[in-house]
Amino acid sequence: QVQLVESGGGLVQPGESLRLSCAASGDTAGDYHWGWYRQVRGNQREMVATITSDGTTNAADFVKDRFTISRDTAKSTIVLQINNVKPEDTAVYLCNFFTGRADYWGQGTQFTVSS
């Protein structure tokens, strides 16, 4: 079992920056894909960015240069840095930990961009 705890959501203004963190605990050893997805009400969940156990990162096309995913192995945490936020970034952001045998999701954190 893996437990995921997200933090860092909230209300921000356009152009500001935001950091979302996901702390993992439990059976995190072995190969994995660990990352962030987002979901706007009524829409499908979409991948934002992921990082694998060997450090390979993958990001959606819309991420471009504004989103960066990083990992602190010692703290068992990943961080999604979002710069120059835009209203279309508004969504529930969910942390995911996928091992190939199991798929774990956090509760999600709401991130709203509004002036």
Side-chain angles (χ1 to χ4, degrees), residues 10-80:
L11 177 64
V12 293
Q13 295 187 348
E16 293 184 339
S17 297
L18 185 76
R19 286 165 59 92
L20 301 179
S21 297
C22 174
S25 60
D27 186 14
T28 59
D31 295 332
Y32 59 77
H33 287 249
W34 189 6
W36 289 95
Y37 288 68
R38 70 183 188 183
Q39 186 167 24
V40 177
R41 187 177 300 176
N43 292 348
Q44 287 188 329
R45 194 172 291 180
E46 60 181 355
M47 188 271 288
V48 177
T50 63
I51 186 166
T52 65
S53 48
D54 66 2
T56 302
T57 60
N58 184 34
D61 290 340
F62 65 79
V63 165
K64 296 182 180 179
D65 297 328
R66 296 193 300 116
F67 291 55
T68 303
I69 189 169
S70 60
R71 178 181 59 191
D72 185 333
T73 303
K75 296 181 180 179
S76 296
T77 299
I78 58 169
V79 172
L80 184 68

Side-chain angles (χ1 to χ4, degrees), residues 10-12 38-41 46 85-93 110-114:
L11 177 64
V12 293
R38 70 183 188 183
Q39 186 167 24
V40 177
R41 187 177 300 176
E46 60 181 355
V85 299
K86 301 179 179 182
E88 54 263 38
D89 295 329
T90 296
V92 174
Y93 284 74
Q110 176 70 46
F111 162 29
T112 301
V113 182
S114 176

